[in-house]
Amino acid sequence: MTVTTPPTRAATAPPRPAVRRPDRLRAWATRAPLLPALIFMILVTQLPFVATLVISFFDWNALYPDDRHFAGFANYSEVLSTPELRKSVWTTVLLTVTVVLVSLVLGLVLALLLDRRFRGRAAVRTMLIAPFLLVPIAAALLWKHVLFNPEYGLFNGVLHWIGGDGAAQPDWISEMPLTAVEASLIWQWTPFMTLILLAGLQSRDPQLIEAARMDGANDWQVFLHITLPHMRRYLELSVLLGSIYIVQNFDAVYTITSGGLGTANLPYTIYQTFYQAHENGLASAAGVIVVIGSLVLATFALRVVSSLFRAEVSR
């Protein structure tokens, strides 16, 4: 009696096709159209940043070009230790946190309202997006002259219409300067938050919501247990992207208060240090700190975006 052994897996498996290496010339021909854009990006963004990084290690005043020398991390130490610069860092943090959080809450409320069907919803969406489409300097001028002006501004005009000649006519910018800047930025960035959060609301599974309502869940329970967990990544993305932009904001501070009355944030301080004090090294060090902070926020934002894409693909 002969015993036949079953064929091994290696014997039965079909031979693997030979892996062909891609033609290098064809690969380069495919990438060639991207090279001009890549070179342009390097020339416009990376080389200036490298130059700024090098200058930040020098004690360099533009008024005395021959009296410059290597200073190491002295400029960075001065940025973090000088009272004016430390105050500008704190103002930047306070401005960013306030604008982002208030814009996020208002954006979520508006997104929840726009997610409902009603007559004229498209027109309302367009009007809500309009502030975000304005040039930042134009939006700041609008708030400074049309709304905040103590003589002919809309706010004081409404107060005069309600209270008559005896109504208070406050000077909004002088009495509440940081709030005035924050109000302008909140008005402009709330539509940005609304767009992102509205996209998140419209990506919910309607069958899951319908099943929850059939089980007796009310609107608040649906929002708390279904909508809010689903919106977590979109909320994180809104906070991160909004923070990246607000940290670098210069237009509103420069236009509304010119950096006075305790509203000078770090970008405005960099401008003041570079163009008025002519301290190239110190301004470059402050700029590098802003870039590093923005890169940290951008890294988290990219991770959130990647997780959103993975979640959509896995559906």
Side-chain angles (χ1 to χ4, degrees):
M1 179 177 179
T2 60
V3 179
T4 59
T5 58
T8 60
R9 185 175 182 182
T12 58
R16 294 183 179 180
V19 180
R20 297 180 58 186
R21 290 188 174 183
D23 186 10
R24 290 187 177 183
L25 184 60
R26 184 177 179 182
W28 275 107
T30 305
R31 299 188 182 101
L34 299 176
L35 287 178
L38 179 62
I39 294 172
F40 178 78
M41 186 186 68
I42 293 175
L43 291 176
V44 172
T45 62
Q46 303 306 312
L47 290 183
F49 177 72
V50 172
T52 303
L53 185 63
V54 172
I55 295 173
S56 68
F57 292 105
F58 283 84
D59 185 2
W60 186 351
N61 191 304
L63 299 177
Y64 308 97
D66 296 331
D67 187 21
R68 62 176 181 266
H69 57 274
F70 183 77
F73 291 93
N75 289 325
Y76 293 93
S77 177
E78 186 172 352
V79 169
L80 299 176
S81 61
T82 303
E84 291 79 9
L85 292 173
R86 277 191 303 177
K87 185 178 179 181
S88 68
V89 173
W90 168 247
T91 302
T92 304
V93 173
L94 184 62
L95 183 68
T96 302
V97 171
T98 303
V99 172
V100 169
L101 290 183
V102 176
S103 300
L104 186 69
V105 173
L106 293 177
L108 180 59
V109 172
L110 292 175
L112 290 171
L113 293 175
L114 291 176
D115 191 49
R116 299 174 180 270
R117 296 185 179 275
F118 58 90
R119 183 177 298 178
R121 184 173 64 169
V124 173
R125 286 183 180 179
T126 304
M127 289 187 291
L128 285 177
I129 295 172
F132 183 65
L133 302 179
L134 287 178
V135 178
I137 195 76
L141 287 171
L142 174 69
W143 277 79
K144 181 178 182 179
H145 295 292
V146 178
L147 300 177
F148 285 143
N149 191 281
E151 297 180 0
Y152 54 81
L154 180 62
F155 289 160
N156 283 351
V158 172
L159 292 177
H160 178 75
W161 178 68
I162 295 175
D165 295 334
Q169 301 290 314
D171 189 345
W172 301 92
I173 296 177
S174 299
E175 296 179 11
M176 48 186 74
L178 190 59
T179 304
V181 175
E182 291 169 349
S184 171
L185 292 174
I186 289 169
W187 176 78
Q188 191 172 18
W189 286 96
T190 297
F192 175 78
M193 303 292 187
T194 303
L195 288 175
I196 296 179
L197 298 178
L198 183 59
L201 287 174
Q202 293 181 345
S203 66
R204 293 177 300 175
D205 187 359
Q207 295 180 355
L208 185 61
I209 298 176
E210 184 179 355
R213 294 191 183 281
M214 291 180 63
D215 290 338
N218 54 32
D219 291 339
W220 173 248
Q221 291 172 333
V222 170
F223 173 77
L224 190 63
H225 298 289
I226 297 178
T227 302
L228 202 57
H230 172 78
M231 294 292 294
R232 180 181 63 85
R233 292 174 179 172
Y234 295 90
L235 291 168
E236 292 175 355
L237 181 62
S238 302
V239 170
L240 290 170
L241 293 179
S243 300
I244 291 172
Y245 286 107
I246 302 302
V247 162
Q248 304 177 22
N249 182 269
F250 172 81
D251 306 83
V253 174
Y254 176 79
T255 304
I256 296 177
T257 63
S258 297
L261 305 173
T263 60
N265 59 349
L266 199 51
Y268 184 85
T269 304
I270 294 172
Y271 157 79
Q272 206 171 25
T273 304
F274 187 81
Y275 286 101
Q276 296 181 7
H278 303 284
E279 290 288 350
N280 296 348
L282 193 61
S284 298
V288 170
I289 291 177
V290 173
V291 170
I292 292 174
S294 301
L295 287 176
V296 171
L297 292 174
T299 301
F300 283 106
L302 289 174
R303 289 185 178 180
V304 173
V305 172
S306 299
S307 65
L308 283 174
F309 281 130
R310 287 195 298 269
E312 293 295 332
V313 170
S314 62
R315 287 188 174 185

